[in-house]
Amino acid sequence: MEILSPTEEGIARAARALAEGLLVAIPTETVYGLGANAFDTRAVARVFEAKRRPTFDPLIVHIAELDGLDEIASFPNDLARRLAEAFWPGPLTLILPKRERVPGLVTSGLDSVAVRMPAHPVARSIIRLSRVPVAAPSANPFGYLSPTRAEHVARMLGDAVDFIVDGGASDIGVESTVLDVTGERPKILRPGGLPRAAIEEICGPVDIIDRVSAQPTSPGQLESHYAPHARLDLVEAGGLAAAPIGAEDAVLFFDEASRRAFHAAREGNLAMAARGEAQSRMERVLSPSGDLREAAAALFDLLHAFDLEGVERVWAERLPSEGLGLAVNDRLWKASTKN
Ligand code: TXA
Ligand code: MG
């Protein structure tokens, strides 16, 4: 595996590698993707293998320009086109009717295909130069946390990938919002980097899939997705003060106000103070000022760091369920269901 800088030369090398059927991890504004030429079934098969991902879980195909859509999918209605115009390039994945040419391996045999045009300039340049649509799931082993830095990819996938393009930390930090626009009414299959309210401004009320329903429509809804190695316990907002946190456990606060309230509540508790728990515990704050975008961008990075430290148990609190808080709560909830 070789790490490439996002220079003109590195980008050209990455594009050539993709066209030649190699695997290239690319930076996007959501998370890093593990890219392969979507038309090359051998390369796509290697993606599933590298991730140890079951082939019933379909991939997202990435394009650089709207011109590139026609060879892989079509807009089923005007609404789909309007959403693409409004939010591409960006953190929105649309489920669209697929063209015959897209291999069934990419879509797990479905007659729809997930399509996204990322906004990250490095990703777009690589895809444009490669002249192929790029099938790219998040560049992590199946079920584990998504990578938001090149180092995360290197550590998790190593030589299972041919190149990693280092484009720095992902700005958004959670995966794209997956929206199914093939039905009567758009349906969010996975909350993500594009907030629901932004979508509803364009197309009115959208459905959102019920996470606890028995039959997942999108395999991304499988519960044990996005999980760190550590056990994660999720409590209500502000609920950490009352949680039975052990001295070795790590704590993930939403904001600084919440961390302060936690300490104020627990310092009054003499038994806890006597155990000296505060000194030894690892504490992290997603966003000191309580900014949901900042919290989303920090989430996977902090969880990766806990795993690197060998933390066995993490306590986290829910964020406000608005904007990117919905996606963060979704990932925390999924991570907690692994327990
Ligand atoms: O931000 C992202 O979306 C990142 C970057 C790399 O683009 N990619 C990503 O891919 O998160 P992945 O494979 O980890 O998640 C894709 C999700 C999965 O939940 C998959 O089941 C769903 O999209 N999906 C793909 N094709 C689908 C289809 N035809 N119908 C329904 N769901 C689909
Ligand atoms: Mg993934």
Side-chain angles (χ1 to χ4, degrees):
M1 178 266 293
E2 192 182 327
I3 297 194
L4 300 170
S5 306
T7 56
E8 207 174 311
E9 201 187 315
I11 287 171
R13 182 73 199 96
R16 208 160 59 238
L18 280 172
E20 286 166 356
L22 297 178
L23 301 196
V24 182
I26 58 175
T28 89
E29 74 278 19
T30 54
V31 300
Y32 274 68
L34 176 57
N37 175 354
F39 290 144
D40 182 338
T41 45
R42 240 195 84 258
V44 174
R46 269 189 72 205
V47 168
F48 283 97
E49 217 173 86
K51 282 183 62 90
R52 277 165 274 131
R53 176 171 174 134
T55 50
F56 62 72
D57 194 1
L59 308 182
I60 297 176
V61 180
H62 298 70
I63 55 176
E65 308 292 343
L66 218 43
D67 287 354
L69 181 68
D70 199 46
E71 57 178 357
I72 53 171
S74 57
F75 288 124
N77 46 50
D78 191 51
L79 192 67
R81 183 189 308 275
R82 283 196 346 256
L83 286 163
E85 278 165 6
F87 299 117
W88 282 355
L92 173 68
T93 294
L94 293 174
I95 306 298
L96 302 170
K98 91 173 187 77
R99 299 277 190 220
E100 208 157 314
R101 200 171 158 205
V102 179
L105 183 59
V106 171
T107 63
S108 303
L110 297 172
D111 49 21
S112 62
V113 60
V115 184
R116 175 159 109 83
M117 187 192 294
H120 198 298
V122 174
R124 272 185 95 190
S125 301
I126 293 171
I127 299 164
R128 192 182 298 119
L129 273 177
S130 75
R131 302 169 137 273
V132 294
V134 175
S138 51
N140 52 290
F142 183 67
Y144 190 61
L145 300 173
S146 291
T148 54
R149 297 175 183 277
E151 304 92 273
H152 297 159
V153 183
R155 200 169 66 239
M156 293 189 291
L157 296 179
D159 285 329
V161 323
D162 299 305
F163 294 98
I164 300 173
V165 182
D166 187 350
S170 297
D171 279 348
I172 294 177
V174 289
E175 300 83 348
S176 61
T177 300
V178 178
L179 187 70
D180 187 348
V181 286
T182 59
E184 291 257 299
R185 184 168 153 141
K187 187 195 260 176
I188 294 179
L189 303 182
R190 177 180 72 182
L194 184 67
R196 175 185 189 167
I199 295 172
E200 292 187 327
E201 264 177 42
I202 302 290
C203 63
V206 296
D207 290 329
I208 186 153
I209 205 137
D210 173 12
R211 294 179 308 190
V212 286
S213 68
Q215 258 328 13
T217 324
S218 178
Q221 295 293 345
L222 290 178
E223 292 177 5
S224 63
H225 255 68
Y226 316 99
H229 294 310
R231 169 191 171 134
L232 191 140
D233 287 277
L234 181 61
V235 304
E236 288 313 307
L240 288 166
I245 299 170
E248 307 282 302
D249 301 351
V251 188
L252 189 58
F253 296 100
F254 169 37
D255 57 7
E256 197 48 38
S258 169
R259 197 183 68 86
R260 274 202 301 271
F262 172 89
H263 283 288
R266 288 175 79 109
E267 263 150 34
N269 183 325
L270 289 181
M272 285 173 183
R275 285 206 302 270
E277 60 166 67
Q279 285 89 330
S280 60
R281 200 191 309 112
M282 232 175 127
E283 294 180 355
R284 295 291 181 269
V285 177
L286 284 167
S287 165
S289 65
D291 178 271
L292 291 167
R293 284 172 156 268
E294 185 177 42
L299 176 71
F300 286 142
D301 203 28
L302 290 175
L303 292 176
H304 276 287
F306 285 146
D307 273 358
L308 255 190
E309 293 280 338
V311 170
E312 283 175 14
R313 191 165 183 182
V314 177
W315 293 84
E317 62 182 334
R318 275 181 198 275
L319 272 51
S321 246
E322 62 200 37
L324 287 188
L326 200 67
V328 173
N329 284 341
D330 175 78
R331 303 307 184 269
L332 287 171
W333 180 81
K334 282 174 183 156
S336 74
T337 59
K338 187 192 80 163
N339 300 340

